[in-house]
Amino acid sequence: MSMRRTFLTTRRIVQQLRHDPRTVALLMLVPSALVGLLAWSLQKSPGSFNAVGPKLLGVFPLIVMFLVTSVTTLRERSVGTLERLLTLPLTKAEFVDGYALAFGLVAVAQSALVSTLSYTWFGLAHHGVPWRISVVALCAGLLGTAFGLALSALAHSEFQAVQFMPAFILPQLLLCGLVVPVNELPTALRYVADVLPMTAAVHAIAPLQSSEYYLGQVAIMVAYIIAALAVGAATLRRTTK
Amino acid sequence: MTVNPPLPWALAAEDLRVVRHKNEILKSISFTVKRGELVGLLGPSGSGKSTLMRSILGVQAITGGTIKALGERAGAPSLRNRIGYMAQSPAVYFDLTIEENLVYFAGVLELSRSEVSRVIDQVELAALANRIVSSLSGGEQIRVSLAIALLGSPPVLMLDEPTVGLDPLLRRDLWRTFEGLADRGTTVVVSSHVLDGAARCGRILLLRNGELLFDTTPGELLSATGAATYDEAFIRLIEGAR
């Protein structure tokens, strides 16, 4: 595997984004606007905002990068650039890692903006260490990208790819502790929730927790990222039946 | 014990069969192509031209028989920088400029920037190098795709309908380019469902319904059918075989 070809792929994806300022604006501004809206709607109960706000910072990168990656990689399949690349000396891992790196960078930029705005303008109580939040946002973005790559193999159209959002993301959103605290879930669901990638993101980003617990949750995310990237690379086929 | 001299074949198919979704797309195809030949792969839409090309590239799983390129099994990793491929629809990044597309593909092939300028000049797109591909005309987009296939001057070129939708002048220029490449030793396979370039090919492979109907020279194609033009010969062959 050549890091050079991975970086070239990352650079190419970033160039594609650069030519699409509207997408970049949406990627950067929508999560910030949503947290702002939440802050405004919970103006009379700052306690609730302080409980939910940080969790959203962990959830957004996962959802957004999942959507962006599934649609872009599906486009590579349908336009034929993926097939073309696989007839050239590019390995599947280089392709998948190039994507992970590109959208990982976007996730970090997105989270830097949304957390800065949250802790200054929106008045989110500041407990955590900023770099901790950035690490979680990076991991959550990578999770979204990795699962997007893996699941895009199952979709035959961009329309189907978008349908994976409710199928893959919404159950996690319900169980990750955003709606009901995980320890108040029925026992069976709690076991499920505890092993979901989004739950790890929400747990890791929660303020006031020990370093050991934080690192444990980050480790769960990293394990999922590696597994999903491996599945993503394995679903790329050089030959079609 | 004698060492066999390397075979002169650039491409060799023997009893090649491809079945997709229970449909027989290619039925026992056998042919050989010498290095430096300019081959016209002709046939009506749906005759199996693209499937044959994709089988040679190794991206189409084959059901039976063998297919080799440059002496190696189709799809072998060592062939990945030795066959230039242009698919039927332009497989390029529409949201990048011409130059950005070529710089990326050249990077994947570990080629220098001068190779990027060379192929952009070869397809006569230098004036548009900084334009986004989606803003180009269909013919220009096809030429971007062709330029990518030309990167690194691979010894074998597989071009799937490269002249479709282009104006006559450009078609003539492209066929001249293909002739020039073949003269310098590149094996060029060009598929088409029109015969405008047939006269320039040294070899014609005519496919119909997944069968190799004719393996001949352009001259023989005319004399065998008694037709005055290639289009007429094409129609007679396809209809006559019905």
Side-chain angles (χ1 to χ4, degrees), chain A residues 160-179:
Chain A
Q160 285 180 8
V162 172
Q163 301 305 316
F164 278 122
M165 210 283 268
F168 174 75
I169 297 285
L170 288 188
Q172 295 198 64
L173 209 55
L174 287 177
L175 297 178
C176 72
L178 205 60
V179 183

Side-chain angles (χ1 to χ4, degrees), chain B residues 50-128:
Chain B
S50 295
T51 304
L52 179 54
M53 287 214 161
R54 296 179 71 255
S55 307
I56 295 169
L57 257 303
V59 292
Q60 170 65 55
I62 64 174
T63 315
T66 55
I67 182 131
K68 288 188 167 187
L70 302 169
E72 307 216 33
R73 178 185 53 82
S78 64
L79 290 174
R80 279 181 202 143
N81 54 3
R82 294 199 287 158
I83 304 184
Y85 171 50
M86 183 192 148
Q88 209 163 22
S89 60
V92 298
Y93 295 102
F94 286 84
D95 45 3
L96 291 182
T97 67
I98 295 179
E99 194 176 345
E100 285 167 345
N101 265 285
L102 283 155
V103 167
Y104 175 55
F105 285 104
V108 168
L109 285 160
E110 307 198 341
L111 300 168
S112 68
R113 280 298 278 258
S114 63
E115 183 61 8
V116 170
S117 330
R118 187 189 69 83
V119 293
I120 292 180
D121 284 339
Q122 195 167 1
V123 298
E124 292 173 40
L125 286 176
L128 304 174

Side-chain angles (χ1 to χ4, degrees), chain A residues 88-232:
Chain A
L88 299 175
L90 184 84
T91 67
K92 300 170 187 177
E94 287 160 358
F95 177 83
V96 165
D97 294 349
Y99 261 95
L101 201 55
F103 288 129
L105 290 172
V106 176
V108 169
Q110 184 194 59
S111 114
L113 180 67
V114 68
S115 49
T116 305
L117 288 176
S118 301
Y119 289 116
T120 54
W121 188 14
F122 306 148
L124 195 62
H126 199 302
H127 298 288
V129 193
W131 67 261
R132 275 195 177 188
I133 294 163
S134 294
V135 170
V136 176
L138 170 66
C139 289
L142 289 176
L143 272 173
T145 300
F147 278 99
L149 281 163
L151 285 174
S152 79
L154 300 175
H156 291 122
S157 65
E158 293 180 20
F159 191 58
Q160 285 180 8
V162 172
Q163 301 305 316
F164 278 122
M165 210 283 268
F168 174 75
I169 297 285
L170 288 188
Q172 295 198 64
L173 209 55
L174 287 177
L175 297 178
C176 72
L178 205 60
V179 183
V180 183
V182 173
N183 55 17
E184 286 173 26
L185 287 168
T187 317
L189 280 181
R190 204 176 68 218
Y191 287 131
V192 176
D194 274 335
V195 297
L196 290 175
M198 196 186 281
T199 315
V202 166
H203 282 168
I205 213 158
L208 302 173
Q209 39 161 307
S210 70
S211 299
E212 292 74 27
Y213 183 77
Y214 170 78
L215 289 174
Q217 298 301 312
V218 170
I220 294 175
M221 284 195 275
V222 171
Y224 268 112
I225 293 164
I226 293 169
L229 285 179
V231 171

Side-chain angles (χ1 to χ4, degrees), chain A residues 2 4-20 72 75-76 78-91 94-95 99 237-241, chain B residues 19-21 54 57-62 79-81 83 85-87 89-97 100 103-111 113 132 144-146 148-149:
Chain A
S2 127
R4 210 184 53 83
R5 280 194 293 259
T6 303
F7 290 141
L8 279 171
T9 304
T10 301
R11 189 182 67 179
R12 185 262 297 170
I13 297 161
V14 172
Q15 279 174 337
Q16 286 179 289
L17 282 175
R18 247 193 11 221
H19 288 299
D20 187 0
T72 15
R75 203 189 295 159
E76 292 236 27
S78 54
V79 171
T81 44
L82 177 61
E83 178 174 283
R84 176 165 230 163
L85 285 172
L86 292 179
T87 68
L88 299 175
L90 184 84
T91 67
E94 287 160 358
F95 177 83
Y99 261 95
R237 287 266 168 268
R238 282 193 197 268
T239 53
T240 51
K241 285 257 181 270
Chain B
V19 177
R20 270 165 84 181
H21 311 296
R54 296 179 71 255
L57 257 303
V59 292
Q60 170 65 55
I62 64 174
L79 290 174
R80 279 181 202 143
N81 54 3
I83 304 184
Y85 171 50
M86 183 192 148
S89 60
V92 298
Y93 295 102
F94 286 84
D95 45 3
L96 291 182
T97 67
E100 285 167 345
V103 167
Y104 175 55
F105 285 104
V108 168
L109 285 160
E110 307 198 341
L111 300 168
R113 280 298 278 258
I132 300 280
V144 178
S145 191
L146 176 64
I148 296 170

Side-chain angles (χ1 to χ4, degrees), chain A residues 62-80:
Chain A
L62 205 167
I63 299 177
V64 175
M65 297 310 148
F66 175 79
L67 271 179
V68 171
T69 309
S70 0
V71 172
T72 15
T73 50
L74 201 82
R75 203 189 295 159
E76 292 236 27
R77 286 175 203 270
S78 54
V79 171

Side-chain angles (χ1 to χ4, degrees), chain B residues 103-182:
Chain B
V103 167
Y104 175 55
F105 285 104
V108 168
L109 285 160
E110 307 198 341
L111 300 168
S112 68
R113 280 298 278 258
S114 63
E115 183 61 8
V116 170
S117 330
R118 187 189 69 83
V119 293
I120 292 180
D121 284 339
Q122 195 167 1
V123 298
E124 292 173 40
L125 286 176
L128 304 174
N130 292 317
R131 283 267 298 275
I132 300 280
V133 173
S134 62
S135 74
L136 302 173
S137 74
E140 288 158 352
Q141 292 173 347
I142 289 173
R143 282 187 282 158
V144 178
S145 191
L146 176 64
I148 296 170
L150 294 173
L151 280 169
S153 305
V156 176
L157 276 175
M158 307 291 300
L159 310 174
D160 204 350
E161 311 237 352
T163 59
V164 167
L166 302 185
D167 64 71
L169 209 66
L170 202 56
R171 283 213 300 268
R172 187 202 63 193
D173 290 349
L174 277 181
W175 275 107
R176 279 183 184 164
T177 306
F178 304 153
E179 274 182 310
L181 287 163

